[in-house]
Amino acid sequence: MNSIKLAVIAGLVGLSASQAFAEDAMGTMTMMKGGEVMAIMPDGHMGTMMPDAKMGAEMMKMAKPIKHCMMMMTDAKGKAFMIDTSTKKAQAECEKMAM
């Protein structure tokens, strides 16, 4: 009887842990670290790097601040697209998704 209870508890713990790992593997986004650079390619793959201070300063000269929520998506073939979020409705959807 005790072994059945232990097996059920272990199964529940395993199930909850597997869902947590599945959510992490599905690509949940996190905030970028200060100074981190993200690159997004047209085929949808992404990369990040932490440049040294000199390289970071050079990149900041080219940088422009993001003024509103931005959305990107990929099609069935994996090509990346940027979604126009300039309307109030699109901004609301973007912000809802980002929360």
Coordinates of all heavy atoms in Angstrom, one line a residue:
M1 N 0.8 -1.2 0.0 CA 0.0 0.0 0.0 C 0.9 1.3 0.0 O 0.6 2.2 -0.7 CB -0.9 0.0 1.2 CG -2.0 1.0 1.2 SD -3.2 0.8 -0.1 CE -4.4 1.9 0.4
N2 N 1.9 1.3 0.9 CA 2.8 2.4 0.9 C 3.6 2.6 -0.4 O 3.8 3.7 -0.8 CB 3.8 2.3 2.1 CG 3.1 2.6 3.4 OD1 2.1 3.3 3.4 ND2 3.7 2.2 4.5
S3 N 3.9 1.5 -1.0 CA 4.7 1.6 -2.3 C 3.8 2.1 -3.4 O 4.3 2.9 -4.2 CB 5.2 0.2 -2.7 OG 4.2 -0.7 -2.9
I4 N 2.5 1.9 -3.3 CA 1.6 2.4 -4.3 C 1.5 4.0 -4.1 O 1.5 4.7 -5.1 CB 0.2 1.8 -4.2 CG1 0.3 0.3 -4.7 CG2 -0.8 2.5 -5.1 CD1 -1.0 -0.5 -4.5
K5 N 1.4 4.4 -2.9 CA 1.3 5.8 -2.6 C 2.6 6.5 -3.0 O 2.6 7.6 -3.6 CB 1.1 6.1 -1.1 CG -0.3 5.8 -0.6 CD -0.4 6.1 0.9 CE -1.7 5.7 1.4 NZ -1.8 5.9 2.9
L6 N 3.7 5.9 -2.8 CA 5.0 6.5 -3.2 C 5.1 6.6 -4.7 O 5.6 7.5 -5.3 CB 6.2 5.7 -2.6 CG 6.5 5.8 -1.1 CD1 7.5 4.9 -0.7 CD2 6.8 7.3 -0.8
A7 N 4.6 5.5 -5.4 CA 4.7 5.5 -6.9 C 3.8 6.6 -7.4 O 4.1 7.3 -8.4 CB 4.2 4.1 -7.4
V8 N 2.6 6.8 -6.8 CA 1.7 7.9 -7.3 C 2.3 9.2 -7.1 O 2.3 10.1 -7.9 CB 0.3 7.8 -6.6 CG1 -0.5 9.0 -6.8 CG2 -0.4 6.5 -7.0
I9 N 2.9 9.5 -5.9 CA 3.5 10.7 -5.6 C 4.7 11.0 -6.5 O 4.9 12.1 -7.1 CB 4.0 10.8 -4.1 CG1 2.7 10.8 -3.2 CG2 4.9 12.0 -3.8 CD1 3.0 10.7 -1.7
A10 N 5.5 10.0 -6.7 CA 6.6 10.1 -7.7 C 6.2 10.4 -9.1 O 6.8 11.2 -9.8 CB 7.5 8.8 -7.7
G11 N 5.1 9.8 -9.5 CA 4.5 10.1 -10.8 C 4.0 11.5 -10.9 O 4.2 12.1 -12.0
L12 N 3.4 12.0 -9.9 CA 2.9 13.4 -9.9 C 4.0 14.4 -10.0 O 4.0 15.4 -10.7 CB 2.0 13.7 -8.7 CG 0.6 13.0 -8.8 CD1 -0.1 13.2 -7.5 CD2 -0.2 13.4 -9.9
V13 N 5.1 14.1 -9.2 CA 6.2 15.0 -9.2 C 6.9 15.0 -10.5 O 7.3 16.0 -11.1 CB 7.2 14.6 -8.1 CG1 8.6 15.3 -8.2 CG2 6.6 14.9 -6.7
G14 N 7.0 13.8 -11.1 CA 7.6 13.6 -12.4 C 6.8 14.4 -13.5 O 7.4 15.0 -14.4
L15 N 5.5 14.3 -13.4 CA 4.6 14.9 -14.4 C 4.8 16.4 -14.3 O 4.9 17.1 -15.3 CB 3.2 14.5 -14.2 CG 2.2 15.1 -15.1 CD1 2.4 14.7 -16.5 CD2 0.8 14.7 -14.7
S16 N 4.8 17.0 -13.1 CA 4.9 18.4 -12.9 C 6.3 18.9 -13.4 O 6.4 20.0 -14.0 CB 4.6 18.9 -11.5 OG 5.6 18.3 -10.6
A17 N 7.3 18.1 -13.1 CA 8.7 18.5 -13.6 C 8.8 18.5 -15.1 O 9.4 19.3 -15.7 CB 9.7 17.6 -12.9
S18 N 8.2 17.4 -15.7 CA 8.2 17.3 -17.1 C 7.5 18.5 -17.8 O 8.0 19.0 -18.9 CB 7.7 16.0 -17.6 OG 6.3 15.9 -17.4
Q19 N 6.4 19.0 -17.3 CA 5.7 20.1 -17.8 C 6.6 21.4 -17.7 O 6.6 22.2 -18.6 CB 4.4 20.3 -17.2 CG 3.3 19.3 -17.6 CD 2.0 19.5 -16.9 OE1 1.9 20.2 -16.0 NE2 1.0 18.8 -17.5
A20 N 7.3 21.5 -16.6 CA 8.1 22.7 -16.4 C 9.2 22.7 -17.5 O 9.6 23.7 -18.1 CB 8.7 22.7 -15.0
F21 N 9.8 21.5 -17.7 CA 10.9 21.4 -18.7 C 10.3 21.6 -20.1 O 11.0 22.2 -20.9 CB 11.6 20.0 -18.6 CG 12.5 19.9 -17.4 CD1 12.3 18.8 -16.6 CD2 13.4 20.8 -17.1 CE1 13.1 18.7 -15.5 CE2 14.3 20.7 -16.0 CZ 14.1 19.6 -15.2
A22 N 9.1 21.1 -20.3 CA 8.5 21.3 -21.7 C 8.2 22.8 -21.9 O 8.5 23.3 -23.0 CB 7.2 20.5 -21.8
E23 N 7.8 23.5 -20.9 CA 7.5 25.0 -21.1 C 8.9 25.7 -21.4 O 8.9 26.5 -22.3 CB 6.9 25.6 -19.9 CG 5.4 25.2 -19.7 CD 4.8 25.8 -18.4 OE1 5.5 26.6 -17.8 OE2 3.7 25.4 -18.1
D24 N 9.9 25.3 -20.7 CA 11.2 25.9 -21.0 C 11.7 25.5 -22.4 O 12.3 26.4 -23.1 CB 12.2 25.4 -19.9 CG 13.5 26.1 -20.0 OD1 13.5 27.4 -20.2 OD2 14.6 25.5 -19.9
A25 N 11.5 24.3 -22.8 CA 12.0 23.9 -24.1 C 11.2 24.5 -25.3 O 11.7 24.6 -26.4 CB 11.9 22.3 -24.2
M26 N 9.9 25.0 -25.0 CA 9.1 25.5 -26.0 C 9.5 27.0 -26.4 O 9.0 27.6 -27.2 CB 7.6 25.5 -25.6 CG 7.1 24.1 -25.7 SD 5.4 23.9 -25.1 CE 4.6 25.5 -25.3
G27 N 10.6 27.5 -25.7 CA 11.1 28.8 -26.1 C 10.4 29.9 -25.4 O 10.3 31.0 -26.1
T28 N 10.1 29.8 -24.2 CA 9.6 31.0 -23.5 C 10.7 32.0 -23.4 O 11.8 31.7 -23.2 CB 9.1 30.6 -22.1 OG1 10.2 30.0 -21.4 CG2 7.9 29.7 -22.1
M29 N 10.3 33.3 -23.7 CA 11.3 34.3 -23.8 C 11.5 34.9 -22.4 O 10.7 34.9 -21.5 CB 10.7 35.5 -24.7 CG 10.5 35.0 -26.1 SD 12.0 34.6 -27.0 CE 12.7 36.2 -27.2
T30 N 12.7 35.3 -22.2 CA 13.1 36.0 -20.9 C 13.7 37.3 -21.3 O 14.0 37.6 -22.5 CB 14.2 35.2 -20.2 OG1 15.3 35.0 -21.0 CG2 13.6 33.8 -19.8
M31 N 13.9 38.2 -20.3 CA 14.4 39.5 -20.6 C 15.9 39.3 -20.9 O 16.6 38.4 -20.4 CB 14.3 40.4 -19.3 CG 12.9 40.8 -19.1 SD 12.7 42.0 -17.7 CE 13.8 43.3 -18.2
M32 N 16.4 40.2 -21.7 CA 17.8 40.3 -22.1 C 18.6 40.9 -20.9 O 18.1 41.7 -20.2 CB 18.0 41.1 -23.3 CG 17.4 40.5 -24.6 SD 17.5 41.6 -26.0 CE 19.2 41.7 -26.3
K33 N 19.8 40.4 -20.8 CA 20.7 41.0 -19.8 C 21.3 42.3 -20.3 O 21.3 42.5 -21.5 CB 21.9 40.0 -19.6 CG 21.4 38.7 -19.0 CD 22.6 37.7 -19.0 CE 22.2 36.3 -18.7 NZ 21.5 35.7 -19.8
G34 N 21.7 43.2 -19.4 CA 22.3 44.5 -19.8 C 23.5 44.3 -20.7 O 24.4 43.5 -20.3
G35 N 23.5 44.9 -21.8 CA 24.7 44.7 -22.7 C 24.6 43.6 -23.7 O 25.4 43.4 -24.6
E36 N 23.6 42.7 -23.6 CA 23.4 41.6 -24.4 C 23.0 42.0 -25.8 O 22.1 42.9 -25.9 CB 22.5 40.6 -23.8 CG 22.3 39.3 -24.6 CD 21.4 38.3 -23.9 OE1 20.5 38.7 -23.1 OE2 21.5 37.1 -24.2
V37 N 23.5 41.3 -26.9 CA 23.1 41.6 -28.2 C 22.4 40.4 -28.8 O 22.9 39.3 -28.6 CB 24.3 42.0 -29.1 CG1 23.9 42.2 -30.6 CG2 25.0 43.2 -28.6
M38 N 21.2 40.6 -29.4 CA 20.5 39.5 -30.0 C 20.4 39.7 -31.5 O 20.2 40.8 -32.0 CB 19.1 39.4 -29.5 CG 18.2 38.3 -30.1 SD 16.5 38.2 -29.5 CE 16.8 37.8 -27.8
A39 N 20.7 38.6 -32.3 CA 20.6 38.7 -33.8 C 19.5 37.7 -34.2 O 19.4 36.6 -33.7 CB 21.9 38.3 -34.4
I40 N 18.6 38.1 -35.1 CA 17.6 37.3 -35.7 C 17.8 37.2 -37.2 O 17.8 38.2 -37.9 CB 16.2 37.9 -35.3 CG1 16.0 38.0 -33.8 CG2 15.1 37.0 -35.9 CD1 14.8 38.8 -33.4
M41 N 17.9 36.0 -37.7 CA 18.2 35.8 -39.1 C 16.8 35.6 -39.9 O 15.8 35.2 -39.2 CB 19.0 34.6 -39.3 CG 20.4 34.7 -38.7 SD 21.4 36.0 -39.5 CE 21.7 35.3 -41.1
P42 N 16.8 35.9 -41.2 CA 15.6 35.7 -41.9 C 15.0 34.3 -41.9 O 13.8 34.1 -42.1 CB 16.0 36.1 -43.4 CG 17.1 37.0 -43.2 CD 17.9 36.5 -42.0
D43 N 15.9 33.3 -41.7 CA 15.4 31.9 -41.6 C 14.9 31.5 -40.2 O 14.5 30.4 -40.0 CB 16.5 30.9 -42.1 CG 17.6 30.8 -41.1 OD1 17.7 31.6 -40.1 OD2 18.5 30.0 -41.4
G44 N 14.8 32.5 -39.3 CA 14.2 32.3 -38.0 C 15.1 31.9 -36.9 O 14.7 32.0 -35.7
H45 N 16.4 31.6 -37.2 CA 17.2 31.2 -36.1 C 17.8 32.5 -35.4 O 17.9 33.5 -36.1 CB 18.3 30.2 -36.4 CG 19.5 30.7 -37.2 ND1 19.5 30.8 -38.5 CD2 20.7 31.2 -36.7 CE1 20.7 31.3 -38.9 NE2 21.4 31.6 -37.8
M46 N 18.1 32.4 -34.1 CA 18.5 33.5 -33.4 C 19.8 33.2 -32.6 O 20.2 32.0 -32.4 CB 17.5 33.9 -32.3 CG 16.2 34.3 -32.9 SD 15.0 34.9 -31.7 CE 15.0 33.8 -30.4
G47 N 20.5 34.2 -32.3 CA 21.8 34.1 -31.5 C 21.9 35.3 -30.6 O 21.4 36.3 -30.9
T48 N 22.7 35.1 -29.5 CA 22.9 36.2 -28.6 C 24.4 36.2 -28.3 O 25.1 35.2 -28.4 CB 22.2 36.1 -27.3 OG1 22.5 34.9 -26.6 CG2 20.7 36.1 -27.5
M49 N 24.9 37.4 -27.9 CA 26.3 37.5 -27.5 C 26.4 38.6 -26.4 O 25.6 39.5 -26.4 CB 27.2 37.7 -28.6 CG 27.1 39.1 -29.3 SD 28.2 39.4 -30.6 CE 29.7 39.9 -29.8
M50 N 27.5 38.6 -25.7 CA 27.8 39.6 -24.7 C 29.1 40.2 -25.2 O 30.2 39.7 -25.0 CB 28.0 39.1 -23.3 CG 26.7 38.6 -22.6 SD 25.5 39.9 -22.3 CE 26.3 40.8 -21.0
P51 N 29.0 41.4 -26.0 CA 30.2 42.0 -26.5 C 31.1 42.6 -25.4 O 30.6 43.0 -24.3 CB 29.7 43.0 -27.5 CG 28.4 43.4 -26.9 CD 27.8 42.1 -26.3
D52 N 32.4 42.8 -25.7 CA 33.2 43.5 -24.7 C 32.8 45.0 -24.7 O 32.0 45.4 -25.5 CB 34.7 43.3 -25.0 CG 35.1 43.8 -26.4 OD1 34.4 44.7 -26.9 OD2 36.1 43.2 -26.9
A53 N 33.4 45.7 -23.8 CA 33.0 47.1 -23.6 C 33.2 47.9 -24.9 O 32.4 48.7 -25.3 CB 33.7 47.7 -22.5
K54 N 34.3 47.7 -25.6 CA 34.6 48.5 -26.8 C 33.7 48.2 -27.9 O 33.1 49.1 -28.5 CB 36.1 48.2 -27.2 CG 36.5 49.1 -28.4 CD 37.9 48.8 -28.8 CE 38.3 49.6 -30.1 NZ 39.6 49.2 -30.6
M55 N 33.4 46.9 -28.1 CA 32.5 46.5 -29.2 C 31.1 47.0 -28.8 O 30.3 47.4 -29.7 CB 32.5 45.0 -29.4 CG 31.7 44.5 -30.5 SD 31.7 42.7 -30.5 CE 31.8 42.3 -32.2
G56 N 30.7 46.9 -27.6 CA 29.4 47.3 -27.1 C 29.2 48.8 -27.4 O 28.1 49.2 -27.8
A57 N 30.2 49.6 -27.1 CA 30.1 51.0 -27.3 C 29.9 51.4 -28.8 O 29.2 52.2 -29.2 CB 31.4 51.7 -26.7
E58 N 30.7 50.6 -29.7 CA 30.5 50.8 -31.1 C 29.1 50.5 -31.6 O 28.5 51.2 -32.4 CB 31.6 50.0 -31.9 CG 33.0 50.5 -31.7 CD 33.2 51.9 -32.3 OE1 32.7 52.1 -33.4 OE2 33.8 52.7 -31.7
M59 N 28.6 49.4 -31.1 CA 27.2 48.9 -31.4 C 26.2 50.0 -31.0 O 25.2 50.2 -31.7 CB 26.9 47.6 -30.9 CG 27.7 46.5 -31.6 SD 27.3 44.9 -30.8 CE 27.3 43.8 -32.2
M60 N 26.4 50.5 -29.8 CA 25.4 51.5 -29.3 C 25.3 52.8 -30.1 O 24.3 53.4 -30.2 CB 25.7 51.9 -27.8 CG 25.3 50.9 -26.8 SD 23.5 50.5 -26.9 CE 22.8 51.9 -26.0
K61 N 26.4 53.1 -30.9 CA 26.4 54.2 -31.8 C 25.4 54.0 -32.9 O 24.8 54.9 -33.5 CB 27.8 54.5 -32.3 CG 28.7 55.0 -31.3 CD 30.1 55.2 -31.9 CE 31.1 55.6 -30.9 NZ 32.5 55.7 -31.5
M62 N 25.2 52.7 -33.3 CA 24.3 52.4 -34.4 C 22.8 52.1 -33.9 O 21.9 52.0 -34.6 CB 24.8 51.1 -35.1 CG 26.1 51.2 -35.7 SD 26.6 49.8 -36.6 CE 26.9 48.6 -35.3
A63 N 22.7 51.9 -32.6 CA 21.4 51.5 -32.0 C 20.4 52.6 -31.9 O 20.7 53.8 -31.7 CB 21.7 50.9 -30.6
K64 N 19.1 52.2 -32.0 CA 18.0 53.1 -31.8 C 17.1 52.5 -30.8 O 16.9 51.3 -30.8 CB 17.2 53.3 -33.1 CG 18.0 54.0 -34.2 CD 17.2 54.1 -35.5 CE 18.1 54.6 -36.6 NZ 17.5 54.6 -37.9
P65 N 16.5 53.3 -29.9 CA 15.6 52.7 -28.9 C 14.3 52.1 -29.5 O 13.8 52.7 -30.5 CB 15.3 53.8 -27.9 CG 15.6 55.0 -28.7 CD 16.6 54.7 -29.7
I66 N 13.8 51.1 -28.9 CA 12.5 50.5 -29.3 C 11.5 51.3 -28.6 O 11.5 51.5 -27.4 CB 12.4 49.0 -28.9 CG1 13.5 48.2 -29.7 CG2 11.0 48.5 -29.2 CD1 13.5 46.8 -29.2
K67 N 10.5 51.9 -29.4 CA 9.5 52.8 -28.8 C 8.2 52.1 -28.5 O 7.4 52.7 -27.8 CB 9.3 53.9 -29.8 CG 10.5 54.8 -30.0 CD 10.3 56.0 -30.9 CE 11.6 56.7 -31.0 NZ 11.6 57.8 -31.8
H68 N 8.0 50.9 -29.0 CA 6.8 50.2 -28.7 C 7.0 48.7 -28.8 O 8.1 48.3 -29.2 CB 5.6 50.6 -29.6 CG 6.0 50.5 -31.0 ND1 5.9 49.3 -31.7 CD2 6.4 51.4 -31.9 CE1 6.3 49.5 -33.0 NE2 6.6 50.8 -33.2
C69 N 6.1 47.9 -28.4 CA 6.1 46.5 -28.4 C 6.3 46.0 -29.8 O 5.7 46.5 -30.8 CB 4.9 45.9 -27.8 SG 4.9 44.1 -27.6
M70 N 7.2 45.0 -30.1 CA 7.4 44.5 -31.4 C 7.1 43.0 -31.4 O 7.3 42.3 -30.4 CB 8.9 44.7 -31.8 CG 9.2 46.1 -31.9 SD 11.0 46.4 -32.2 CE 11.2 45.6 -33.8
M71 N 6.6 42.5 -32.5 CA 6.3 41.0 -32.7 C 6.9 40.5 -33.9 O 7.0 41.2 -35.0 CB 4.8 40.8 -32.7 CG 4.1 41.1 -31.5 SD 2.3 40.7 -31.3 CE 1.6 40.5 -32.9
M72 N 7.4 39.3 -33.9 CA 7.9 38.6 -35.0 C 7.3 37.2 -35.0 O 6.9 36.7 -34.0 CB 9.4 38.5 -34.9 CG 10.1 39.8 -35.0 SD 11.9 39.7 -35.1 CE 12.3 41.4 -34.8
M73 N 7.2 36.6 -36.2 CA 6.7 35.2 -36.3 C 7.4 34.5 -37.4 O 8.1 35.2 -38.3 CB 5.2 35.2 -36.5 CG 4.7 35.7 -37.8 SD 2.9 35.7 -38.0 CE 2.6 33.9 -38.0
T74 N 7.3 33.2 -37.5 CA 7.9 32.4 -38.6 C 6.7 31.7 -39.3 O 5.7 31.4 -38.7 CB 8.9 31.4 -38.1 OG1 8.3 30.6 -37.1 CG2 10.1 32.0 -37.5
D75 N 6.9 31.5 -40.6 CA 5.9 30.8 -41.4 C 6.2 29.3 -41.3 O 7.1 28.9 -40.6 CB 5.9 31.3 -42.8 CG 7.2 31.1 -43.6 OD1 8.1 30.4 -43.1 OD2 7.2 31.5 -44.8
A76 N 5.5 28.5 -42.0 CA 5.6 27.0 -42.0 C 7.0 26.6 -42.5 O 7.5 25.5 -42.0 CB 4.5 26.4 -42.8
K77 N 7.6 27.4 -43.3 CA 9.0 27.1 -43.8 C 10.1 27.6 -42.9 O 11.3 27.3 -43.1 CB 9.2 27.6 -45.2 CG 8.2 27.0 -46.2 CD 8.4 27.6 -47.6 CE 7.4 27.0 -48.6 NZ 7.5 27.7 -49.9
G78 N 9.7 28.3 -41.9 CA 10.7 28.8 -40.9 C 11.2 30.2 -41.2 O 12.1 30.7 -40.5
K79 N 10.7 30.9 -42.3 CA 11.1 32.2 -42.6 C 10.6 33.2 -41.6 O 9.4 33.2 -41.2 CB 10.7 32.6 -44.0 CG 11.2 34.0 -44.4 CD 10.9 34.3 -45.9 CE 11.5 35.6 -46.2 NZ 11.3 35.9 -47.6
A80 N 11.4 34.2 -41.1 CA 11.0 35.1 -40.1 C 10.3 36.3 -40.7 O 10.7 36.8 -41.7 CB 12.2 35.5 -39.2
F81 N 9.3 36.8 -40.0 CA 8.5 38.0 -40.4 C 8.4 38.9 -39.2 O 8.2 38.5 -38.1 CB 7.2 37.7 -41.0 CG 7.2 36.9 -42.3 CD1 7.3 35.6 -42.3 CD2 7.1 37.6 -43.5 CE1 7.4 34.8 -43.5 CE2 7.1 36.9 -44.7 CZ 7.3 35.5 -44.7
M82 N 8.4 40.3 -39.5 CA 8.1 41.2 -38.4 C 6.7 41.7 -38.6 O 6.3 42.1 -39.7 CB 9.1 42.4 -38.5 CG 9.0 43.3 -37.3 SD 10.5 44.3 -37.3 CE 9.8 45.9 -36.9
I83 N 5.9 41.7 -37.5 CA 4.5 42.1 -37.6 C 4.4 43.6 -37.3 O 5.0 44.1 -36.4 CB 3.7 41.3 -36.6 CG1 3.8 39.8 -36.9 CG2 2.2 41.8 -36.5 CD1 3.2 38.9 -35.9
D84 N 3.5 44.3 -38.1 CA 3.3 45.7 -37.9 C 2.4 45.9 -36.7 O 1.3 45.5 -36.7 CB 2.6 46.3 -39.2 CG 2.3 47.8 -39.0 OD1 2.8 48.4 -38.1 OD2 1.5 48.3 -39.9
T85 N 3.0 46.5 -35.7 CA 2.3 46.8 -34.4 C 2.1 48.3 -34.2 O 2.1 48.7 -33.1 CB 3.1 46.2 -33.2 OG1 4.4 46.7 -33.2 CG2 3.1 44.7 -33.3
S86 N 1.9 49.0 -35.3 CA 1.7 50.5 -35.1 C 0.3 50.9 -34.7 O 0.1 52.0 -34.2 CB 2.1 51.1 -36.4 OG 1.3 50.7 -37.5
T87 N -0.7 50.0 -34.8 CA -2.0 50.4 -34.4 C -2.3 50.1 -32.9 O -1.5 49.3 -32.3 CB -3.1 49.7 -35.2 OG1 -3.0 48.3 -34.9 CG2 -2.9 49.9 -36.7
K88 N -3.2 50.8 -32.3 CA -3.5 50.6 -30.9 C -3.9 49.1 -30.6 O -3.5 48.5 -29.6 CB -4.6 51.5 -30.4 CG -4.1 53.0 -30.3 CD -5.1 53.8 -29.5 CE -4.7 55.2 -29.4 NZ -4.1 55.5 -28.2
K89 N -4.7 48.5 -31.5 CA -5.2 47.2 -31.4 C -4.0 46.2 -31.4 O -3.9 45.3 -30.5 CB -6.2 46.8 -32.4 CG -6.8 45.4 -32.3 CD -7.8 45.1 -33.4 CE -8.3 43.7 -33.2 NZ -9.3 43.4 -34.3
A90 N -3.1 46.4 -32.3 CA -1.9 45.5 -32.5 C -1.0 45.7 -31.2 O -0.4 44.7 -30.7 CB -1.1 45.8 -33.7
Q91 N -0.9 46.9 -30.8 CA -0.1 47.2 -29.6 C -0.6 46.5 -28.4 O 0.1 45.9 -27.6 CB 0.0 48.7 -29.3 CG 1.0 49.5 -30.1 CD 2.4 49.0 -29.7 OE1 2.8 49.1 -28.5 NE2 3.2 48.6 -30.7
A92 N -2.0 46.5 -28.2 CA -2.6 45.8 -27.1 C -2.3 44.3 -27.2 O -2.0 43.7 -26.1 CB -4.1 46.1 -27.1
E93 N -2.5 43.7 -28.3 CA -2.2 42.3 -28.5 C -0.7 42.0 -28.2 O -0.5 41.0 -27.5 CB -2.5 41.8 -29.9 CG -4.0 41.7 -30.2 CD -4.6 40.6 -29.3 OE1 -4.0 39.5 -29.2 OE2 -5.7 40.8 -28.8
C94 N 0.1 42.8 -28.7 CA 1.6 42.6 -28.4 C 1.9 42.6 -26.9 O 2.6 41.8 -26.4 CB 2.4 43.6 -29.2 SG 4.1 43.4 -29.2
E95 N 1.4 43.7 -26.3 CA 1.6 43.8 -24.9 C 1.0 42.7 -24.0 O 1.6 42.2 -23.1 CB 1.2 45.2 -24.4 CG 2.0 46.3 -24.9 CD 1.4 47.7 -24.7 OE1 0.4 47.8 -24.0 OE2 2.0 48.7 -25.2
K96 N -0.2 42.2 -24.5 CA -0.8 41.1 -23.8 C 0.0 39.9 -23.9 O 0.2 39.1 -22.9 CB -2.2 40.9 -24.4 CG -3.0 39.8 -23.6 CD -4.5 39.8 -24.1 CE -4.6 39.2 -25.4 NZ -6.0 39.0 -25.8
M97 N 0.6 39.6 -25.1 CA 1.4 38.5 -25.3 C 2.7 38.5 -24.5 O 3.2 37.5 -24.0 CB 1.8 38.3 -26.8 CG 2.5 37.1 -27.1 SD 3.1 37.0 -28.8 CE 1.8 37.6 -29.8
A98 N 3.3 39.7 -24.4 CA 4.6 39.9 -23.7 C 4.5 39.8 -22.2 O 5.5 39.6 -21.5 CB 5.2 41.3 -24.1
M99 N 3.3 39.9 -21.7 CA 3.1 39.8 -20.2 C 3.2 38.4 -19.7 O 3.1 37.5 -20.0 CB 1.8 40.4 -19.8 CG 1.7 41.9 -20.0 SD 3.1 42.7 -19.1 CE 3.2 44.2 -19.9

